[in-house]
Amino acid sequence: MFIGAQVSLYPMTSDFVDVIMSSLGALDPYRDTLRIETDDISTLMVGAPEPLFDAVRDLFTRAARQPNHVTMHVTFSRGAPESRMIRPVVARR
């Protein structure tokens, strides 16, 4: 079973872009097991539940290391099509 998560980070700082971009590095270890796509607003992750929940945790932990307040909005969904996992991973930054 695959699940999906659409994640948005909201750092409360004028350097929000730097906080978000540096936090996305926490997802690098998961790029072989999850489909990860980032756009201007959010990051979509699709894959097995265990690595997906670990990736969400690591993303927030990395963002929370910054000295500013940060919030994260996550929408989880079940039933993400497995066939989409075969496509190459393309991440825009």
Side-chain angles (χ1 to χ4, degrees):
M1 170 181 67
F2 288 124
I3 62 172
Q6 185 149 4
V7 180
S8 297
L9 286 172
Y10 299 99
M12 305 305 166
T13 176
S14 59
D15 294 329
F16 66 94
V17 173
D18 291 334
V19 173
I20 293 169
M21 296 304 288
S22 65
S23 298
L24 288 172
L27 300 179
D28 289 345
Y30 301 99
R31 294 194 184 275
D32 290 340
T33 57
L34 299 175
R35 181 170 61 98
I36 301 172
E37 297 178 11
T38 298
D39 62 25
D40 294 340
I41 303 297
S42 63
T43 297
L44 171 68
M45 294 181 270
V46 178
E50 186 172 310
L52 188 134
F53 283 109
D54 289 348
V56 170
R57 178 202 59 218
D58 291 352
L59 178 62
F60 185 75
T61 300
R62 176 82 58 95
R65 278 195 232 169
Q66 307 294 326
N68 305 295
H69 177 75
V70 63
T71 62
M72 175 188 272
H73 179 89
V74 183
T75 302
F76 291 104
S77 63
R78 187 176 110 25
E82 293 181 30
S83 62
R84 295 182 71 182
M85 285 297 295
I86 325 175
R87 291 186 355 192
V89 175
V90 176
R92 293 187 319 164
R93 292 186 186 208

